[in-house]
């Protein structure tokens, strides 16, 4: 049996086991099966083609109890089209290695499918919030810290505003979040004006329409204030974002509890794009700092090339 065959057979077995144990679905098992650490989102996506429901490494240990240093479990919230493994198959293990209880699930897509977080954002977020409640119950923690990528860094604000998240979330860290939507360099805004196009797009990705600049969803979400007192917000964004455009639209309105960080102000040699930011070592260091500011460290500045993006938001 060749190495490639063995890898795919292993992935297939992992998929069956994951489905049996409810991996990535929010159904608590003692410890869900996880995939290996990946160096970038492209290798993670390829692996998850054979195991789309498997949990990212270090995540979904339902016996995990938070430590005194890290009393809040960390919930990872996926970007549009991404499943949990694809999005987090590196950062999840780093968080676990740092002593956090880490959890991630798949919502907003057909059960067991490769593509997730494509349904209506309100429905995705309701499922995410229910998953968060299960994490709090299992761990005995009082509050969660949430790290979200793209849509996953924005939709948590819907949870906070409409679904009682203000009492359950301590920190929200967004990596290239679509807080004010995107025009995709003007392309999405143009397509949205063509009769029939939004409806067609909505049949495969309703959340894509809802993340267009000026959408009814985003207008309502951002009205009356973008943040809530008592929650610490951190936005980490790259100048080379090729999905959330213009890149500065990711940032939240300045308040004492809001910290907006441009990646290139920390490391000018970092060329990571939208899709690669969750795997970027500088961004990962900034996430760790946001979760534990009392022990913040300056991330090492190393050149990071961009990844060609395939996500909407």
């Amino acid at each position: 049996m060749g190495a490639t065959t063995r890898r795919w057979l292993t992935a297939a077995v992992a998929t069956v086991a994951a489905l049996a144990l409810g991996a990535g679905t929010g159904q608590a098992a003692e410890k869900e099966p996880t995939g290996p650490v990946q160096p970038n989102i492209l290798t993670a996506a390829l692996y998850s083609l054979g195991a789309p429901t498997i949990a990212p490494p270090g995540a979904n240990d339902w016996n995990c109890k938070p430590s005194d240093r890290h009393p809040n479990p960390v919930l990872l919230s996926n970007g549009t089209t991404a499943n949990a493994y694809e999005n987090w198959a590196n950062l999840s293990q780093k968080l676990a290695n740092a002593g956090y209880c880490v959890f991630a699930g798949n919502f907003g897509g057909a059960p067991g499918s490769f593509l997730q977080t494509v349904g209506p954002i309100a429905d995705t977020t309701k499922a995410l919030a229910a998953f968060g409640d299960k994490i709090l119950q299992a761990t005995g923690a009082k509050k969660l810290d949430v790290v979200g990528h793209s849509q996953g860094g924005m939709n948590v604000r819907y949870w906070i505003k409409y679904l009682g998240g203000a009492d359950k979330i301590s920190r929200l860290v967004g990596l290239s979040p679509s807080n004010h939507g995107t025009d995709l360099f003007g392309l999405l805004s143009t397509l949205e004006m063509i009769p029939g196009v939004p409806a067609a797009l909505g049949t495969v990705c309703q959340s894509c329409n809802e993340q267009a600049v000026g959408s009814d969803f985003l207008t309502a979400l951002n009205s009356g204030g973008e943040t809530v007192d008592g929650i610490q917000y951190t936005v980490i964004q790259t100048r080379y974002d090729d999905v959330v455009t213009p890149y500065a639209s990711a940032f939240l309105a300045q308040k004492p509890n809001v910290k907006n960080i441009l990646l290139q102000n920390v490391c000018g040699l970092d060329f990571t794009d939208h899709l690669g930011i969750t795997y970027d070592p500088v961004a990962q260091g900034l996430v760790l700092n946001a979760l534990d500011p009392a022990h913040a460290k300056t991330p090492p500045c190393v050149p990071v090339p961009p990844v060609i993006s395939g996500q909407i938001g």
Side-chain angles (χ1 to χ4, degrees):
M1 183 184 296
T4 300
T5 302
R6 286 197 298 271
R7 283 196 298 270
W8 282 106
L9 181 59
T10 300
V13 172
T15 300
V16 173
L19 289 172
L21 293 174
T25 64
Q27 299 174 8
E30 288 187 359
K31 187 174 183 179
E32 296 180 12
T34 60
V37 171
Q38 298 289 348
N40 58 63
I41 197 168
L42 296 181
T43 59
L46 287 173
Y47 185 92
S48 69
L49 283 171
T53 62
I54 200 163
N60 294 6
D61 179 356
W62 295 92
N63 288 323
C64 186
K65 297 300 179 184
S67 65
D68 291 339
R69 177 168 171 176
H70 302 311
N72 298 336
V74 176
L75 170 57
L76 302 175
S77 177
N78 310 337
T80 307
T81 74
N83 59 61
Y85 181 82
E86 176 187 356
N87 224 155
W88 306 110
N90 190 284
L91 180 58
S92 57
Q93 187 64 62
K94 288 191 176 181
L95 290 169
N97 290 346
Y100 291 94
C101 295
V102 185
F103 297 88
N106 293 318
F107 312 102
S113 69
F114 175 76
L115 295 177
Q116 295 293 319
T117 331
V118 293
I121 294 175
D123 292 347
T124 297
T125 308
K126 288 175 185 176
L128 182 68
F131 188 58
D133 286 340
K134 291 182 180 181
I135 294 169
L136 291 175
Q137 182 178 11
T139 61
K142 294 182 179 180
K143 290 195 174 185
L144 296 163
D145 291 340
V146 184
V147 179
H149 177 226
S150 196
Q151 181 195 148
M154 173 271 291
N155 62 15
V156 178
R157 293 175 48 232
Y158 184 94
W159 178 4
I160 292 169
K161 185 170 184 175
Y162 297 113
L163 303 175
D167 296 326
K168 300 174 182 178
I169 296 171
S170 177
R171 297 179 181 88
L172 172 57
V173 183
L175 291 159
S176 297
S178 52
N179 283 321
H180 300 97
T182 178
D183 63 5
L184 279 179
F185 298 104
L187 176 61
L188 184 58
S189 298
T190 300
L191 291 175
E192 290 281 329
M193 293 187 291
I194 301 174
V197 170
L201 181 59
T203 61
V204 293
C205 184
Q206 187 165 337
S207 65
C208 296
N209 283 335
E210 291 175 325
Q211 290 174 91
V213 170
S215 71
D216 291 343
F217 176 86
L218 288 171
T219 298
L221 178 64
N222 291 323
S223 65
E226 298 176 0
T227 56
V228 172
D229 293 343
I231 297 176
Q232 297 298 314
Y233 297 81
T234 302
V235 174
I236 302 165
Q237 175 60 320
T238 172
R239 186 185 301 277
Y240 304 105
D241 196 320
D242 46 3
V243 173
V244 174
T245 63
Y247 73 85
S249 67
F251 294 134
L252 293 167
Q254 287 289 354
K255 289 184 65 177
N257 60 328
V258 173
K259 190 172 185 179
N260 293 312
I261 303 173
L262 182 64
L263 199 57
Q264 285 69 38
N265 286 343
V266 179
C267 179
L269 297 174
D270 195 319
F271 299 99
T272 194
D273 58 4
H274 183 87
L275 197 60
I277 195 168
T278 63
Y279 288 79
D280 177 75
V282 182
Q284 291 178 343
L286 294 172
V287 169
L288 289 167
N289 288 348
L291 294 174
D292 188 7
H295 299 90
K297 301 177 182 178
T298 302
C301 181
V302 293
V304 177
V307 174
I308 297 175
S309 179
Q311 279 187 303
I312 294 297

